[in-house]
Amino acid sequence: MPCLKSTHLPAIAAIFHRRIHIATENTPNPDALKFLPNHPILPQNLSSTFLEYLSPRSTLAAPHPSPLAARLLSIDGISSIFYGPDFITVTKATDTNWAHVKPEVFSLITEAVTSGEQIVNTIEDRSSNAVHNEISRDTLAFNEEDTEVVSLIKELLETRIRPSIQEDGGDIEFRGFVDGNVLLKLRGACRTCDSSTVTLKNGIESMLMHYIEEVKSVTQVLDQEEEIAIKEFAKFEEKLKEQRGRHPIASATDKEGFKSAES
Protein backbone atom coordinates (compact mmCIF):
# COMPACT_ATOMS: atom_id res chain seq x y z
CA MET A 1 0.00 0.00 0.00
CA PRO A 2 1.56 3.33 -1.04
CA CYS A 3 2.19 5.78 1.76
CA LEU A 4 1.24 9.44 1.60
CA LYS A 5 4.17 11.78 1.59
CA SER A 6 3.99 15.07 3.46
CA THR A 7 4.08 16.87 0.11
CA HIS A 8 0.71 15.28 -0.75
CA LEU A 9 -1.12 16.65 2.30
CA PRO A 10 -1.58 20.25 1.09
CA ALA A 11 -3.05 18.96 -2.16
CA ILE A 12 -5.46 16.70 -0.28
CA ALA A 13 -6.48 19.60 1.97
CA ALA A 14 -7.10 21.76 -1.10
CA ILE A 15 -9.32 19.06 -2.64
CA PHE A 16 -11.30 18.79 0.61
CA HIS A 17 -11.64 22.56 0.75
CA ARG A 18 -13.03 22.71 -2.79
CA ARG A 19 -15.67 20.10 -1.94
CA ILE A 20 -17.14 22.30 0.79
CA HIS A 21 -20.15 24.02 -0.71
CA ILE A 22 -22.20 26.41 1.40
CA ALA A 23 -25.52 27.36 -0.14
CA THR A 24 -27.55 30.38 0.92
CA GLU A 25 -31.31 30.79 0.87
CA ASN A 26 -33.48 33.83 1.36
CA THR A 27 -36.17 33.66 4.04
CA PRO A 28 -39.52 35.46 4.34
CA ASN A 29 -37.66 37.80 6.68
CA PRO A 30 -35.49 40.18 4.57
CA ASP A 31 -33.18 40.67 7.56
CA ALA A 32 -32.42 36.94 7.86
CA LEU A 33 -30.37 34.67 5.59
CA LYS A 34 -30.18 30.88 5.79
CA PHE A 35 -26.77 29.23 5.26
CA LEU A 36 -26.60 25.50 4.45
CA PRO A 37 -23.01 24.20 4.85
CA ASN A 38 -23.88 20.56 4.07
CA HIS A 39 -22.57 19.72 7.52
CA PRO A 40 -24.25 18.82 10.86
CA ILE A 41 -24.55 21.88 13.08
CA LEU A 42 -26.08 20.70 16.36
CA PRO A 43 -24.40 18.22 18.75
CA GLN A 44 -25.67 14.65 18.42
CA ASN A 45 -26.62 14.48 22.09
CA LEU A 46 -28.79 17.62 21.95
CA SER A 47 -32.48 16.85 22.46
CA SER A 48 -33.59 20.24 21.10
CA THR A 49 -33.92 20.85 17.35
CA PHE A 50 -32.26 24.28 17.55
CA LEU A 51 -30.04 26.69 19.45
CA GLU A 52 -30.31 30.47 19.31
CA TYR A 53 -27.81 33.14 20.34
CA LEU A 54 -29.16 36.65 20.82
CA SER A 55 -26.14 38.31 22.46
CA PRO A 56 -22.35 37.87 22.67
CA ARG A 57 -22.74 36.72 26.27
CA SER A 58 -25.06 33.88 25.26
CA THR A 59 -22.38 32.45 22.94
CA LEU A 60 -20.12 31.85 25.96
CA ALA A 61 -22.75 30.58 28.37
CA ALA A 62 -23.29 26.97 29.42
CA PRO A 63 -24.45 24.46 28.43
CA HIS A 64 -23.85 25.12 24.71
CA PRO A 65 -21.27 27.84 23.97
CA SER A 66 -20.36 28.40 20.33
CA PRO A 67 -17.10 30.04 19.17
CA LEU A 68 -18.52 30.45 15.65
CA ALA A 69 -21.63 32.23 16.94
CA ALA A 70 -19.36 34.51 19.00
CA ARG A 71 -17.36 35.48 15.91
CA LEU A 72 -20.49 36.02 13.82
CA LEU A 73 -22.09 38.25 16.46
CA SER A 74 -18.90 40.31 16.60
CA ILE A 75 -19.64 41.51 13.06
CA ASP A 76 -21.10 44.99 13.19
CA GLY A 77 -24.79 44.85 12.24
CA ILE A 78 -25.40 41.14 13.03
CA SER A 79 -28.07 40.77 15.74
CA SER A 80 -28.66 37.02 16.22
CA ILE A 81 -27.46 33.55 15.23
CA PHE A 82 -29.75 30.54 14.95
CA TYR A 83 -28.60 26.93 14.54
CA GLY A 84 -30.91 24.31 13.06
CA PRO A 85 -29.97 20.64 12.60
CA ASP A 86 -28.11 21.34 9.33
CA PHE A 87 -28.42 25.08 8.73
CA ILE A 88 -27.43 28.43 10.21
CA THR A 89 -29.73 31.46 10.10
CA VAL A 90 -28.03 34.82 10.49
CA THR A 91 -30.16 37.87 11.29
CA LYS A 92 -28.95 41.43 10.78
CA ALA A 93 -30.15 44.82 11.97
CA THR A 94 -32.69 46.44 9.66
CA ASP A 95 -30.39 49.36 8.82
CA THR A 96 -27.50 47.04 7.86
CA ASN A 97 -26.93 46.15 4.20
CA TRP A 98 -26.37 42.46 3.39
CA ALA A 99 -23.78 43.47 0.81
CA HIS A 100 -21.60 44.81 3.64
CA VAL A 101 -21.79 41.83 6.02
CA LYS A 102 -22.59 38.72 3.95
CA PRO A 103 -19.02 38.15 2.65
CA GLU A 104 -17.60 38.09 6.19
CA VAL A 105 -20.41 35.85 7.47
CA PHE A 106 -19.83 33.46 4.57
CA SER A 107 -16.08 33.46 5.19
CA LEU A 108 -16.40 32.70 8.92
CA ILE A 109 -18.84 29.82 8.37
CA THR A 110 -16.64 28.35 5.61
CA GLU A 111 -13.55 28.58 7.79
CA ALA A 112 -15.28 26.87 10.72
CA VAL A 113 -16.61 24.01 8.60
CA THR A 114 -13.42 23.36 6.62
CA SER A 115 -11.23 23.42 9.75
CA GLY A 116 -13.31 20.70 11.40
CA GLU A 117 -13.98 23.00 14.34
CA GLN A 118 -16.72 21.99 16.78
CA ILE A 119 -19.58 24.37 15.95
CA VAL A 120 -21.26 23.91 19.33
CA ASN A 121 -19.54 22.80 22.52
CA THR A 122 -21.28 21.11 25.44
CA ILE A 123 -20.27 21.94 29.00
CA GLU A 124 -21.88 21.41 32.38
CA ASP A 125 -24.47 24.02 33.29
CA ARG A 126 -24.38 24.61 37.05
CA SER A 127 -26.82 27.51 36.92
CA SER A 128 -30.57 27.28 37.36
CA ASN A 129 -31.26 29.34 34.25
CA ALA A 130 -34.77 28.34 33.16
CA VAL A 131 -34.30 29.68 29.63
CA HIS A 132 -31.24 27.50 29.01
CA ASN A 133 -32.96 24.46 30.47
CA GLU A 134 -35.98 25.07 28.23
CA ILE A 135 -33.93 25.41 25.06
CA SER A 136 -31.89 22.30 25.85
CA ARG A 137 -34.94 20.09 25.31
CA ASP A 138 -37.45 19.77 22.50
CA THR A 139 -40.72 21.28 23.74
CA LEU A 140 -42.67 19.36 21.09
CA ALA A 141 -41.34 16.00 22.28
CA PHE A 142 -43.67 13.44 23.84
CA ASN A 143 -44.22 13.85 27.56
CA GLU A 144 -46.10 11.29 29.64
CA GLU A 145 -47.57 14.08 31.78
CA ASP A 146 -49.23 15.80 28.81
CA THR A 147 -52.99 15.72 28.49
CA GLU A 148 -54.57 14.21 25.39
CA VAL A 149 -55.26 17.67 23.98
CA VAL A 150 -51.69 18.87 24.54
CA SER A 151 -50.31 15.70 22.95
CA LEU A 152 -52.45 16.30 19.88
CA ILE A 153 -51.38 19.96 19.69
CA LYS A 154 -47.72 18.92 19.83
CA GLU A 155 -48.20 16.25 17.18
CA LEU A 156 -49.79 18.70 14.75
CA LEU A 157 -47.10 21.30 15.39
CA GLU A 158 -44.37 18.69 14.90
CA THR A 159 -45.75 17.15 11.69
CA ARG A 160 -47.59 20.04 9.99
CA ILE A 161 -45.97 23.29 11.18
CA ARG A 162 -42.34 22.70 12.17
CA PRO A 163 -41.12 21.47 8.74
CA SER A 164 -42.29 24.62 6.94
CA ILE A 165 -40.92 26.92 9.64
CA GLN A 166 -37.54 25.16 9.54
CA GLU A 167 -37.60 25.56 5.76
CA ASP A 168 -37.92 29.30 6.37
CA GLY A 169 -34.86 29.31 8.66
CA GLY A 170 -36.59 29.08 12.04
CA ASP A 171 -38.31 26.79 14.51
CA ILE A 172 -41.16 26.76 17.01
CA GLU A 173 -41.50 26.17 20.75
CA PHE A 174 -44.57 25.04 22.68
CA ARG A 175 -44.89 27.11 25.85
CA GLY A 176 -48.22 25.88 27.20
CA PHE A 177 -51.98 25.50 26.80
CA VAL A 178 -54.08 27.69 29.09
CA ASP A 179 -57.86 28.14 28.93
CA GLY A 180 -58.03 27.25 25.24
CA ASN A 181 -55.06 29.46 24.36
CA VAL A 182 -51.97 27.81 22.82
CA LEU A 183 -48.78 29.63 23.84
CA LEU A 184 -46.02 29.43 21.22
CA LYS A 185 -42.63 30.97 20.62
CA LEU A 186 -41.25 31.50 17.10
CA ARG A 187 -37.48 31.31 16.71
CA GLY A 188 -34.79 32.11 14.16
CA ALA A 189 -35.83 34.01 11.04
CA CYS A 190 -39.47 33.83 12.14
CA ARG A 191 -38.79 35.56 15.47
CA THR A 192 -38.36 39.04 13.99
CA CYS A 193 -40.29 38.57 10.76
CA ASP A 194 -43.07 41.07 10.02
CA SER A 195 -45.27 38.21 8.79
CA SER A 196 -44.95 36.21 12.05
CA THR A 197 -48.37 37.45 13.22
CA VAL A 198 -49.91 36.28 9.95
CA THR A 199 -48.15 32.92 10.37
CA LEU A 200 -49.56 32.52 13.86
CA LYS A 201 -53.12 33.59 13.14
CA ASN A 202 -53.79 32.53 9.53
CA GLY A 203 -51.59 29.46 9.58
CA ILE A 204 -51.09 27.87 12.97
CA GLU A 205 -54.20 29.10 14.76
CA SER A 206 -56.53 28.23 11.89
CA MET A 207 -55.15 24.70 11.60
CA LEU A 208 -55.21 23.94 15.33
CA MET A 209 -58.75 25.29 15.73
CA HIS A 210 -59.87 23.20 12.74
CA TYR A 211 -58.59 19.90 14.15
CA ILE A 212 -58.90 20.50 17.92
CA GLU A 213 -62.14 22.03 19.17
CA GLU A 214 -60.60 22.83 22.57
CA VAL A 215 -58.23 25.33 20.94
CA LYS A 216 -59.67 28.86 20.87
CA SER A 217 -56.61 30.98 20.07
CA VAL A 218 -52.83 31.03 19.59
CA THR A 219 -50.55 33.60 21.22
CA GLN A 220 -46.91 34.45 20.59
CA VAL A 221 -44.95 34.48 23.86
CA LEU A 222 -42.31 37.15 24.37
CA ASP A 223 -39.30 36.62 26.61
CA GLN A 224 -38.39 39.25 29.19
CA GLU A 225 -35.54 40.64 27.06
CA GLU A 226 -37.87 41.05 24.08
CA GLU A 227 -40.54 42.79 26.17
CA ILE A 228 -37.92 45.23 27.48
CA ALA A 229 -36.65 45.87 23.92
CA ILE A 230 -40.20 46.57 22.68
CA LYS A 231 -40.83 49.01 25.55
CA GLU A 232 -37.54 50.78 24.90
CA PHE A 233 -38.35 51.06 21.19
CA ALA A 234 -41.78 52.50 22.02
CA LYS A 235 -40.14 55.11 24.27
CA PHE A 236 -37.70 55.97 21.48
CA GLU A 237 -40.55 56.45 18.98
CA GLU A 238 -42.42 58.64 21.50
CA LYS A 239 -39.35 60.86 21.90
CA LEU A 240 -39.07 61.21 18.12
CA LYS A 241 -42.73 62.29 17.92
CA GLU A 242 -42.15 64.87 20.66
CA GLN A 243 -39.09 66.26 18.87
CA ARG A 244 -41.00 66.49 15.59
CA GLY A 245 -43.79 68.32 17.40
CA ARG A 246 -41.38 70.87 18.83
CA HIS A 247 -39.62 71.39 15.48
CA PRO A 248 -42.26 70.98 12.77
CA ILE A 249 -41.00 70.75 9.22
CA ALA A 250 -41.64 74.01 7.38
CA SER A 251 -44.22 73.75 4.62
CA ALA A 252 -43.76 75.11 1.12
CA THR A 253 -46.02 78.08 2.00
CA ASP A 254 -43.93 78.87 5.10
CA LYS A 255 -40.75 78.80 3.02
CA GLU A 256 -42.20 81.18 0.43
CA GLY A 257 -43.29 83.60 3.17
CA PHE A 258 -39.83 83.46 4.72
CA LYS A 259 -38.25 84.28 1.34
CA SER A 260 -40.64 87.23 0.85
CA ALA A 261 -39.77 88.61 4.29
CA GLU A 262 -36.08 88.39 3.47
CA SER A 263 -36.54 90.29 0.22
Side-chain angles (χ1 to χ4, degrees):
M1 180 178 177
C3 27
L4 294 174
K5 297 180 180 179
S6 59
T7 52
H8 295 157
L9 296 179
I12 293 173
I15 292 172
F16 177 75
H17 188 278
R18 285 198 297 269
R19 287 180 179 176
I20 295 296
H21 174 69
I22 299 178
T24 59
E25 291 182 0
N26 292 325
T27 72
N29 183 353
D31 290 329
L33 267 181
K34 183 178 176 183
F35 294 80
L36 298 98
N38 192 27
H39 182 278
I41 301 300
L42 299 178
Q44 291 183 352
N45 60 345
L46 185 69
S47 59
S48 174
T49 57
F50 70 88
L51 288 171
E52 189 167 29
Y53 302 90
L54 305 178
S55 67
R57 179 180 295 181
S58 67
T59 66
L60 305 174
H64 301 297
S66 171
L68 173 60
R71 293 195 293 272
L72 290 171
L73 277 176
S74 70
I75 301 174
D76 189 28
I78 298 301
S79 58
S80 69
I81 306 300
F82 178 90
Y83 291 158
D86 58 358
F87 66 89
I88 299 172
T89 299
V90 179
T91 303
K92 67 174 182 63
T94 303
D95 58 354
T96 298
N97 193 318
W98 273 121
H100 298 155
V101 296
K102 183 179 176 181
E104 188 172 358
V105 170
F106 195 91
S107 175
L108 288 175
I109 294 176
T110 301
E111 182 182 347
V113 173
T114 55
S115 68
E117 164 188 325
Q118 189 77 17
I119 303 297
V120 178
N121 296 316
T122 301
I123 61 177
E124 183 181 356
D125 186 4
R126 297 181 180 179
S127 70
S128 58
N129 192 319
V131 175
H132 281 158
N133 294 335
E134 187 74 10
I135 292 177
S136 295
R137 66 181 182 85
D138 184 3
T139 58
L140 299 187
F142 173 76
N143 188 326
E144 293 181 352
E145 298 180 0
D146 288 340
T147 64
E148 184 179 349
V149 172
V150 169
S151 295
L152 186 54
I153 290 172
K154 285 185 174 182
E155 182 181 353
L156 287 172
L157 291 173
E158 173 70 38
T159 58
R160 301 290 188 89
I161 301 298
R162 172 171 273 172
S164 60
I165 290 182
Q166 287 180 331
E167 187 70 21
D168 288 340
D171 211 315
I172 189 169
E173 281 184 284
F174 175 77
R175 292 292 187 88
F177 180 59
V178 182
D179 298 329
N181 185 26
V182 179
L183 305 178
L184 299 176
K185 174 71 177 175
L186 295 177
R187 294 285 190 171
C190 304
R191 185 176 61 84
T192 57
C193 184
D194 292 338
S195 61
S196 61
T197 302
V198 177
T199 300
L200 281 172
K201 294 298 180 182
N202 295 354
I204 302 174
E205 184 179 85
S206 298
M207 188 203 70
L208 292 179
M209 289 177 64
H210 175 76
Y211 288 105
I212 308 172
E213 60 180 11
E214 289 86 352
V215 174
K216 306 302 179 186
S217 62
V218 171
T219 301
Q220 160 89 310
V221 176
L222 296 178
D223 291 330
Q224 185 177 7
E225 290 182 0
E226 291 173 315
E227 291 179 347
I228 293 173
I230 290 174
K231 289 179 181 178
E232 291 298 322
F233 185 72
K235 290 180 183 178
F236 177 71
E237 283 192 320
E238 192 62 33
K239 287 182 179 179
L240 285 180
K241 290 179 181 178
E242 290 178 1
Q243 291 176 357
R244 289 169 184 166
R246 293 172 189 168
H247 306 287
I249 299 173
S251 64
T253 305
D254 295 334
K255 291 177 180 178
E256 289 297 327
F258 182 70
K259 289 179 180 178
S260 299
E262 281 186 328
S263 58

